[in-house]
Amino acid sequence: MKVTFPHMGHMWICLSAMLEYLGVEVVVPPPSSKRTLTLGARHAPEFACLPLKLNLGNFMEASELGADTILMAGGCGPCRFGYYAQVEHAILEDLGYKYRLVVMEPPQKHVGELLSKIKYITGHSSWWEVVRGIRFGYQKARMVDELERQANYLRPREIHRGSTDKAFKRALQEIIAAKHPRDLPQAGERVRKIMAQVVIKPRPVLRVGIVGEIFTLLEPFANYDLERRLGYLGVETDRSIYLSEWINDHLFLGLVRGLRSRKEACQAAPPYLNHFVGGHGQETVGSTVMYAKQGYDGVIQLLPFTCMPEIVAHSVLPRLSTELGIPTLTITVDEQSGEAGLVTRLEAFIDLLARKKGVV
């Protein structure tokens, strides 16, 4: 069995660590690219959202490397993601690909089914080893998230342009290279030393929160590397969802204490949005409220074209923006999006925020 999965930011690092620790052969697809998107968009339904098209492209590229089993998350509620695994598998079968499909459904709905799927993937590993493997992958997710937070803080303050990104790449390699849980403390120490070498200058910077649908938030190819671009425009960013937070909320059911939770965002959403609308729509609204109360200078909402939950959230943001005095910008992405247009909109938005704050 050669297992593959779709890309979503740096998720592949923690998934590979977990599966390889358990003796599963992993085929990581090439990083998402224009070729990936072209392959996926060519065979996907026209009005499917960008994540489905990129997932499809990932699976087609992974097949060229020998993958024969797809590991995919399931879902429930109004978001179409819940049946994407089955749709993608059906499309791949029609195209002649011979993939086995393993869908991990949310544990609060199908815990018995989830356990049987884990056992199917991990084979003869004991449950104790499975728990250790999951913990190993999760520890890597925490380390990568912390590294990303550090980079988002340093980038707008760095003296030598690009020094944060160079350090980030080196630090990321240290995390990837750790093949056993016992290697992680030393890897963490090396990561801290590498990032401490970035020379920064204290200066006033803008702070912008990024909210929206999780795939477009986490996948740099889908969002045109938004956090890095904003960093170079002198903006410190914070994302409303990090991978380790999502895992804790949806797979561990909040077992890990001290992490930011979706519950806080959902509780902050009323009176602007009083109920679940699927995906991360309610969290988008609640997180925008929280960023406004924390004194952020603006909020950017990211969503794939035709994403219903985020369209609902988008309809609420103008009123919220007016009443709480926080400027918002909504960016919709699909295979027709253009980099130049995005850059122009970002520069105009940041210019307005800078003038409002008086840091021009």
Side-chain angles (χ1 to χ4, degrees):
M1 182 186 297
K2 296 182 179 180
V3 177
T4 192
F5 38 77
H7 274 297
M8 188 170 74
H10 295 112
M11 180 183 73
W12 68 272
I13 295 174
C14 71
L15 266 180
S16 296
M18 179 188 76
L19 293 171
E20 287 174 353
Y21 177 82
L22 294 169
V24 179
E25 190 171 354
V26 174
V27 177
V28 179
S32 292
S33 64
K34 206 159 183 108
R35 179 177 185 265
T36 313
L37 182 55
T38 301
L39 284 171
R42 185 181 299 157
H43 301 289
E46 183 180 0
F47 284 99
C49 64
L50 189 67
L52 183 142
K53 294 166 184 172
L54 281 172
N55 287 178
L56 206 52
N58 288 152
F59 297 144
M60 295 166 80
E61 292 183 318
S63 175
E64 295 168 2
L65 301 176
D68 57 24
T69 303
I70 291 173
L71 180 61
M72 185 82 182
C76 56
C79 175
R80 293 176 294 182
F81 176 77
Y83 60 80
Y84 270 11
Q86 289 77 12
V87 172
E88 289 162 3
H89 190 235
I91 293 171
L92 290 168
E93 279 196 328
D94 287 347
L95 293 172
Y97 290 89
K98 304 296 182 189
Y99 264 125
R100 280 171 290 196
L101 175 66
V102 180
V103 184
M104 299 290 192
E105 297 290 350
Q108 63 270 41
K109 299 289 181 183
H110 311 277
V111 65
E113 187 180 327
L114 176 68
L115 294 175
S116 68
K117 296 289 178 63
I118 291 173
K119 204 64 186 170
Y120 175 73
I121 288 287
T122 57
H124 299 296
S125 299
S126 67
W127 281 113
W128 173 242
E129 282 300 306
V130 170
V131 170
R132 283 171 62 92
I134 292 173
R135 186 170 182 268
F136 181 42
Y138 185 67
Q139 286 175 317
K140 282 204 173 191
R142 292 281 300 269
M143 291 176 73
V144 172
D145 286 350
E146 185 54 38
L147 182 59
E148 288 183 329
R149 284 191 173 98
Q150 271 188 283
N152 291 338
Y153 175 83
L154 294 172
R155 203 173 280 121
R157 297 174 173 87
E158 66 187 11
I159 291 179
H160 307 293
R161 185 182 171 94
S163 57
T164 301
D165 288 337
K166 287 178 183 172
F168 180 86
K169 287 178 183 173
R170 285 175 55 208
L172 200 61
Q173 286 305 315
E174 295 289 346
I175 298 173
I176 294 168
K179 298 298 181 188
H180 193 277
R182 63 173 171 266
D183 300 332
L184 288 179
Q186 293 87 348
E189 189 57 36
R190 289 193 290 273
V191 166
R192 279 188 284 278
K193 286 180 180 174
I194 291 170
M195 297 308 286
Q197 292 170 6
V198 178
V199 183
I200 61 172
K201 179 181 180 182
R203 65 182 69 162
V205 300
L206 294 170
R207 292 196 305 154
V208 168
I210 305 177
V211 302
E213 186 270 335
I214 185 169
F215 183 89
T216 44
L217 282 181
L218 266 58
E219 175 53 50
F221 178 77
N223 63 36
Y224 293 87
D225 218 348
L226 184 68
E227 289 172 338
R228 186 177 62 81
R229 288 179 186 279
L230 288 170
Y232 286 149
L233 290 173
V235 179
E236 179 187 343
T237 58
D238 182 57
R239 201 190 302 152
S240 62
I241 306 170
Y242 282 84
L243 181 61
S244 59
E245 295 169 348
W246 184 89
I247 293 172
N248 189 39
D249 272 336
H250 295 272
L251 301 182
F252 296 170
L253 305 180
L255 193 64
V256 181
R257 302 297 177 189
L259 289 186
R260 193 171 53 175
S261 164
R262 66 179 294 273
K263 286 182 184 173
E264 301 164 25
C266 292
Q267 287 169 356
Y272 301 102
L273 190 57
N274 297 321
H275 55 84
F276 179 64
V277 293
H280 303 279
Q282 196 177 18
E283 289 137 277
T284 291
V285 173
S287 296
T288 304
V289 172
M290 292 169 71
Y291 283 131
K293 291 181 177 176
Q294 291 166 14
Y296 274 71
D297 300 295
V299 167
I300 295 176
Q301 181 199 19
L302 277 171
L303 68 145
F305 182 56
T306 72
C307 176
M308 187 277 289
E310 293 299 326
I311 290 172
V312 174
H314 173 55
S315 70
V316 174
L317 291 184
R319 178 187 156 206
L320 190 162
S321 172
T322 302
E323 294 185 1
L324 299 184
I326 185 163
T328 61
L329 171 69
T330 295
I331 295 174
T332 306
V333 291
D334 71 356
E335 69 270 27
Q336 307 297 336
S337 299
E339 183 178 349
L342 173 75
V343 171
T344 302
R345 293 184 69 198
L346 278 183
E347 289 177 346
F349 184 63
I350 299 307
D351 190 43
L352 288 170
L353 296 185
R355 288 173 184 275
K356 183 170 180 259
K357 193 172 183 177
V359 295
V360 179

